[in-house]
Amino acid sequence: MSKPFPEPANAERSRLRLVWLQSGGCGGCSMSLLSAEGPDLLTSLEAANIEVLWHPSLSEQSGREVVRLMTRLADGEEPLDILCVEGSVMMGPNGTGRFHLMAGTGQPMMDWIRKLSLRARHVVAVGSCAAFGGMTAAGDNHVEATGLSHDGKRAGGLLGADFRGLAGLPVINIAGCPIHPGWLTETLHQISAGRFSDKDLDEWSRPLSYARHLVHHGCSRNEFYEYKASAERLCDQGCMMENLGCKGTQAKADCNIRAWNGSGSCLDGNYPCINCTAPEFEEPGHEFARTPKIAGIPVGLPTDMPKAWFVALASLSKAATPPRLKENATRDHYAPKPDRKGKAGS
Amino acid sequence: MTRLIVGPFNRVEGDLEVRIDCKGGEVVNAEVVTPLYRGFERILLGKPPMDALVYAPRICGICSVSQSVAAAMALADTMKVELPSNGELAINLVHATENVADHLTHFYLFFMPDFARATYKNEPWYDETADRFVAIRGTAAEDMLPARAQFMHMMGILAGKWPHTLSIQPGGSTRSVDGGEVVRLMAILAAFRKFLERTLFGDKLERIANLSSEAELVAWAAERSVTSSDFRRFLHVSSALGLNCLGRSTGAFLSYGAYGTQGNSLFRMGTFAAGDTGSMDVEGITEDLSSSWYRSGVTSEAPAAGTTVPDADKDGAYSWCKAPRLGGSVMEVGALARQLVNGHPLIRDLVGRHGGSVHARVVARLLEIAIVVQAMERWAAGLVIGERYIAHAGLPDQAEGIGLTEAARGSLGHWLSIEKGRIANYQIIAPTTWNFSPRDQSGVPGPLEQALVGAPVREGEEDPVSVQHIVRSFDPCMVCTVH
Ligand code: SF4
C-alpha cells in the first residue's frame, strides 16, 4: 500500500530546498518546463512544497551571491533536498572538465555537480543529456560528455554506478530530449510527498509514471500500424515504422497519451519517434527518419515480439488492408471517409 | 583600478562570465567570457545531411525553431527546392511563435526582475515594481506563464511539440492543418492578443506598432497611469534610471531578414549604421579566432571554410566564442537591429537621439511582439485548406548551402557543405556570437564589451547592477553562442 499523503498542514512542513545546475545542454528542458500547464510551473512547484534556492533562468541572484550559496551547500552548512542537473557533464579535455568552467568560480562545473550531489538527498538528471550524455555525447564525443550515473548505456558516468543520494535512491533520470514538463513536476511532487521509491524507476532509472508506456500507445496511426499501411514521405498519414524510422514501438514514454503543448506529439506532427528517452538515441547508426532494412524487413522490430511472427502477421495484415487506410497512408490529408462496404468513399 | 569577475549570470540562456576593470566609479574595460564548449560543428561531420534537422535544433532549447529553420534553409539551398505557400506560412507561424514567446520570456522572466533588486529599495517606484516582477514570486510571472503556455499550443498543432520539432523541412512543413485546426490557431492568437493588450501593453497592438517617434511614445505612456500596463511600468523605470543612455554599443547593426512569403519578407535583410541602411554582403562575413580557444592556421576564416579545433591552452585567448565580423566590422544583432534595418520610425528616432541603448533594445523587442502577432493573424488566415504544405526533393551528393534567418535575439547563419552524400563541413554563427564576441586581431572589442564601457559602478558593488541590465538587454543565448 502506498503511503498516505502528509496531513494538509502543509504550510507547517518545511519546504524542500531545490537547486538547479545547467551544464553541457541546450537549456531546452528548462524551456519545455515553462510550458507546464494545469497548473503552471510556479504553481506546480508551490503545490509540491518546493522552494527554488536557485535556478539559472528563474532566480534573481547572480554572481557572488550564487557562488556563496553553492559553497555553503557544498560544505554542508545548509541542507539540500533536491539537486536537478540539466545538460551533460563535460569531462573534457582529457578529464579536466575545462570545456565548462562555472562562470565566476574558475572551477570545472563537473566538480560543482559532484560536490553538490554528495550533499543532496535526491539527485535528479533532467533530460537525456544529464541522464546519459545525450546529444552532446554524439559524434566523436571529443568533449567527453557523460551523464550523471550513466555514460550512454554503461552504468557509471560522473558519479558512478553505485551512487545513491542521501535519501537512498539512485540518480532519477527524467530522460527525454526535451522532457515533457509533466514528467518532472510529477516526480518532484511525488518525492516531496515522500511517495517515491526505487520501485517507481525502470531499468534506466526513469520514472515509471511515464516510462511504463510505449510511445506507440495512443498514437493516432495505430490503425495504420495494424494493417501495415505505411507512410512513404514525411507528411503522409500512414504508420512511420516501415519507412520513416519510427521507434514508437520500442521507445518508453507516454507522448501520445499525455499531450505536448496542448495537443501535440512528434507523431501528431507527422514525424517519427526517435526514441529520445533512451540512452544513445543520438547515434542510431542510420539516418533518423529512414528505417534501416535487411532484405526489405525493418531491423528494430517491436522488442518483445518474435520476428517470424511479426513478419507473418505483417504480410497477412498487409493483404487485408482496407482501401481507406491504404489510400490515406500516403496522403498528407486524411481524405476518404470510412465506408460501410469497406470501399474508399470521399 | 579594480577588477571584478562577474558571474555566473543567471536569467541568460546558458553560462556567462564578464570581467570588468573599474576606475572612478565606472567600467573602463570589459572582457566577455563564454565558458562552455560543446562541439556541435564537429558532431555534424560525416552525418547524413538530413540528420542536421535532428541535431541542429538541439544546439539551443530557446532558439530551437530558428536553428531548424536555418538548417532547413541551408539544405533547401543545396536541393533547390521551393516551398509551397502553405508550408512557408506554417513555418512562419511556428518560427514567430518561438520568437514572440522568447521576447515575452525575456521581458518578464529575465530582464524585469533586476528592478526588484534590493539595491533599488529606496526608489519611489520600487515597491510596486518589485511586487510585480520579483523573481519567482512576482504577480507578473503568474499572469504571463499561463498566457505563454496557452500561446505555445500553436506548437502543439503545427509542430508536434516545442522545443525540438522535426516538422520544419527543406520543402516546407510535415504537418498539414485542416479547417478546424486553422480556426483553433486563430482562437489561440485571439486569446494571446487579449493578454498582450490587457496586460503587457494596455492598448491595441495596432496602436503600439504605429508609434512613430520618441515624443509619441512618451505621450502615449502619459495617457494612462504607470500601473495600467507592464510596458508603461518599464517606460517609467527606464526613464527614472536613464536606461536610454546606458549600454550603447558600436552603432553598426545587421539583420538577415525573416518571415518570407512568396518572395517578400516581413523583415528585410541589410545593415544600418550612422543613420543609413546598406545591403548585406554574405561573402563579407568572417570569424576571427585571435581571442578564442581554437587552433587554426589563420586568424580569420570565412564560415564556409571555417574550422573548429578546440585548444583550451591557447595563449592570449579568453573565450570559447569566436569573433564574427562583417567586412571586418563589429556588428550588433537583435530586435533593435531588425527594426532599424527594416526602418521602423520609432526605433530609428530612439537610436538617432541616444544611440542603441538598453532602453531601445527593450522597446524594439516589445514593439516587435505587436508587429509579429498581427502578421501571425494574417498568416493563419492565409492558409489554404486542401493545398500542400511540403514539396519533396532529392538531396545532391555534392553541394554547398547557406541558411540565414533571425532568431529572437538576432541573426543566425548555417553554412553547410555536402560531399559524397555526407556532411563535410558545418559552421554556425549564432546571434550572441556576434553580440558577445571577444576581441579580434586588431584588438577591437565585441558589441557587449564596447557597450559595457562607461557603465556606472556603485561603491561596494560586487555584481554591478548596471552591468546586469546591459548584459540582459541583449537577450543573450550562451548555449547558441558556442555550440
Ligand atoms: S507511427 Fe510509430 S508510434 Fe505511430 S503507430 Fe506507427 S510505429 Fe507506432
Side-chain angles (χ1 to χ4, degrees):
Chain A
M1 221 175 72
S2 69
K3 275 206 255 165
F5 273 89
E7 288 303 301
N10 266 354
E12 299 303 317
R13 281 192 303 141
S14 60
R15 297 204 284 157
L16 266 72
R17 296 155 52 89
L18 178 147
V19 165
W20 188 294
L21 296 179
Q22 277 176 342
S23 192
C26 71
C29 288
S30 279
M31 284 300 120
S32 181
L33 201 53
L34 291 184
S35 299
E37 280 181 286
D40 66 87
L41 173 63
L42 296 175
T43 311
S44 295
L45 292 173
E46 203 182 303
N49 201 32
I50 284 171
E51 178 187 1
V52 179
L53 294 185
W54 197 66
H55 181 291
S57 327
L58 297 174
S59 302
E60 177 176 306
Q61 312 95 296
S62 243
R64 293 297 101 194
E65 274 177 276
V66 179
V67 177
R68 282 193 284 263
L69 171 68
M70 298 297 160
T71 310
R72 287 196 304 275
L73 292 167
D75 294 345
E77 287 168 23
E78 280 185 28
L80 176 58
D81 294 303
I82 300 171
L83 173 68
C84 288
V85 178
E86 177 183 4
S88 328
V89 183
M90 306 298 284
M91 313 248 322
N94 303 317
T96 61
R98 286 170 67 197
F99 281 139
H100 187 192
L101 299 179
M102 179 170 152
T105 71
Q107 291 173 40
M109 186 55 112
M110 75 177 182
D111 292 347
W112 284 104
I113 295 172
R114 192 185 285 120
K115 283 191 277 189
L116 263 57
S117 295
L118 295 174
R119 298 288 186 185
R121 288 185 54 74
H122 295 278
V123 179
V124 180
V126 181
S128 293
C129 289
F132 310 121
M135 257 307 143
T136 316
D140 62 1
N141 195 9
H142 64 291
V143 294
E144 300 160 47
T146 184
L148 290 180
S149 64
H150 289 86
D151 180 7
K153 290 181 181 157
R154 285 185 308 280
L158 174 76
L159 301 172
D162 301 327
F163 174 85
R164 294 290 179 275
L166 295 180
L169 291 182
V171 173
I172 299 165
N173 289 329
I174 318 286
C177 187
I179 58 158
H180 187 293
W183 299 345
L184 181 67
T185 52
E186 267 174 34
T187 306
L188 292 178
H189 205 148
Q190 285 172 280
I191 290 173
S192 163
R195 287 163 58 113
F196 197 86
S197 75
D198 41 15
K199 290 196 196 66
D200 296 303
L201 293 170
D202 81 347
E203 71 272 28
W204 297 113
S205 203
R206 299 174 294 199
L208 282 165
S209 62
Y210 78 93
R212 72 160 50 91
H213 295 282
L214 290 173
V215 168
H216 184 62
H217 296 167
C219 176
S220 65
R221 291 155 207 266
N222 278 174
E223 195 187 18
F224 292 93
Y225 172 89
E226 284 162 29
Y227 289 102
K228 296 290 155 290
S230 296
E232 284 165 11
R233 300 157 313 170
L234 291 173
C235 79
D236 291 347
Q237 304 291 299
C239 171
M240 292 189 271
M241 182 181 124
E242 187 179 349
N243 302 312
L244 298 175
C246 185
K247 296 210 164 84
T249 55
Q250 307 156 50
K252 302 283 182 62
D254 57 4
C255 298
N256 282 307
I257 298 171
R258 183 197 302 260
W260 289 73
N261 301 114
S263 64
S265 73
C266 294
L267 295 303
D268 186 66
N270 289 355
Y271 51 92
C273 167
I274 60 171
N275 199 4
C276 74
T277 58
E280 300 179 13
F281 86 95
E282 68 278 1
E283 285 293 341
H286 61 83
E287 195 175 313
F288 279 100
R290 188 175 289 180
T291 308
K293 295 178 192 175
I294 296 173
I297 301 168
V299 279
L301 297 175
T303 27
D304 45 3
M305 193 170 180
K307 195 166 167 179
W309 273 100
F310 183 88
V311 174
L313 280 176
S315 50
L316 198 65
S317 57
K318 249 194 174 156
T321 309
R324 169 177 58 85
L325 294 177
K326 206 172 159 131
E327 283 175 28
N328 274 306
T330 54
R331 300 178 71 128
D332 66 341
H333 296 74
Y334 193 85
K337 284 185 265 164
D339 179 279
R340 224 172 279 150
K341 286 171 229 127
K343 276 190 255 148
S346 57
Chain B
M1 191 131 78
T2 44
R3 168 156 271 221
L4 293 178
I5 298 188
V6 190
F9 273 84
N10 54 332
R11 288 175 287 115
V12 303
E13 193 48 31
D15 204 5
L16 167 71
E17 177 175 299
V18 175
R19 301 175 188 158
I20 48 176
D21 296 319
C22 315
K23 205 175 163 182
E26 61 174 49
V27 175
V28 291
N29 184 47
E31 280 178 4
V32 176
V33 182
T34 309
L36 168 66
Y37 167 80
R38 286 178 302 153
F40 267 79
E41 289 162 338
R42 297 267 299 261
I43 289 174
L44 284 157
L45 296 182
K47 298 284 188 222
M50 293 304 276
D51 281 359
L53 297 171
V54 174
Y55 292 108
R58 289 170 169 86
I59 290 169
C60 177
I62 193 163
C63 342
S64 166
V65 164
S66 292
Q67 298 285 355
S68 296
V69 168
M73 285 172 83
L75 286 162
D77 194 19
T78 70
M79 298 158 89
K80 305 294 168 217
V81 60
E82 296 209 358
L83 288 72
S85 168
N86 272 354
E88 218 170 37
L89 295 175
I91 291 177
N92 282 351
L93 282 164
V94 170
H95 193 187
T97 302
E98 174 175 279
N99 283 347
V100 168
D102 281 5
H103 282 347
L104 206 64
T105 308
H106 175 265
F107 180 76
Y108 280 102
L109 299 186
F110 298 169
F111 184 75
M112 291 305 286
D114 279 322
F115 300 108
R117 287 171 174 275
T119 187
Y120 289 129
K121 64 176 181 296
N122 296 325
E123 304 291 338
W125 44 262
Y126 179 78
D127 287 343
E128 206 274 337
T129 309
D131 237 27
R132 182 90 187 126
F133 293 107
V134 67
I136 300 181
R137 298 183 318 276
T139 57
E142 217 172 280
D143 292 343
M144 173 281 222
L145 278 174
R148 180 186 175 282
Q150 200 181 63
F151 178 53
M152 296 304 269
H153 288 194
M154 299 286 291
M155 297 297 196
I157 295 173
L158 286 165
K161 72 174 197 298
W162 184 87
H164 307 341
T165 178
L166 246 182
S167 68
I168 296 165
Q169 296 283 320
S173 163
T174 58
R175 180 66 156 85
S176 51
V177 286
D178 65 26
E181 287 165 330
V182 172
V183 295
R184 269 165 64 200
L185 295 174
M186 290 172 162
I188 293 166
L189 288 170
F192 188 58
R193 177 187 261 268
K194 202 160 129 187
F195 163 79
L196 295 175
E197 295 186 338
R198 198 172 277 176
T199 308
L200 176 59
F201 294 120
D203 210 332
K204 292 264 159 234
L205 299 187
E206 288 75 5
R207 182 92 197 280
I208 303 297
N210 289 334
L211 292 169
S212 68
S213 67
E214 184 179 44
E216 266 186 42
L217 177 65
V218 170
W220 173 83
E223 277 173 20
R224 292 176 62 192
S225 77
V226 171
T227 55
S228 66
S229 79
D230 292 327
F231 187 28
R232 285 193 172 89
R233 285 187 174 92
F234 162 75
L235 291 171
H236 181 71
V237 172
S238 178
S239 105
L241 293 174
L243 298 185
N244 60 357
C245 298
L246 191 70
R248 279 178 286 214
S249 89
T250 58
F253 301 87
L254 160 70
S255 165
Y256 293 153
Y259 307 124
T261 41
Q262 302 298 296
N264 298 315
S265 65
L266 182 66
F267 298 141
R268 86 173 77 100
M269 172 188 260
T271 60
F272 183 87
D276 270 332
T277 46
S279 59
M280 230 282 301
D281 173 23
V282 182
E283 301 288 309
I285 298 173
T286 52
E287 285 195 295
D288 188 297
L289 303 174
S290 308
S291 304
S292 318
W293 285 308
Y294 300 97
R295 226 173 310 144
S296 168
V298 291
T299 45
S300 169
E301 300 174 334
T307 60
T308 304
V309 186
D311 177 6
D313 297 312
K314 181 169 151 183
D315 272 344
Y318 62 88
S319 181
W320 288 111
C321 183
K322 297 177 182 176
R325 299 290 185 258
L326 178 67
S329 300
V330 171
M331 307 299 282
E332 177 176 339
V333 300
L336 177 62
R338 270 195 299 272
Q339 295 313 317
L340 283 170
V341 169
N342 212 47
H344 197 284
L346 168 61
I347 300 303
R348 289 256 179 110
D349 190 43
L350 289 177
V351 171
R353 288 170 194 277
H354 317 284
S357 60
V358 170
H359 175 78
R361 288 185 197 106
V362 176
V363 172
R365 223 170 262 126
L366 297 183
L367 175 78
E368 210 168 68
I369 293 179
I371 296 171
V372 173
V373 170
Q374 291 180 66
M376 292 175 79
E377 293 168 341
R378 294 194 297 274
W379 296 331
L383 293 168
V384 182
I385 309 306
E387 299 269 297
R388 292 197 64 82
Y389 280 74
I390 191 167
H392 292 277
L395 197 70
D397 256 14
Q398 197 95 8
E400 314 247 301
I402 303 179
L404 303 176
T405 189
E406 289 284 313
R409 44 202 56 76
S411 311
L412 169 67
H414 285 200
W415 282 260
L416 157 73
S417 135
I418 303 174
E419 273 169 34
K420 300 202 181 94
R422 297 269 155 169
I423 294 174
N425 202 18
Y426 207 109
Q427 289 284 314
I428 300 145
I429 304 183
T432 311
T433 321
W434 287 96
N435 287 339
F436 285 20
S437 75
R439 284 158 174 72
D440 56 28
Q441 52 188 311
S442 330
V444 180
L448 172 63
E449 294 181 332
Q450 295 188 28
L452 285 168
V453 171
V457 178
R458 302 178 184 201
E459 194 60 41
E461 271 190 316
E462 291 179 310
D463 296 288
V465 72
S466 66
V467 172
Q468 309 282 330
H469 296 322
I470 296 170
V471 164
R472 293 201 181 86
S473 74
F474 284 90
D475 187 12
C477 175
M478 306 313 297
V479 289
C480 273
T481 306
V482 181
H483 12 272

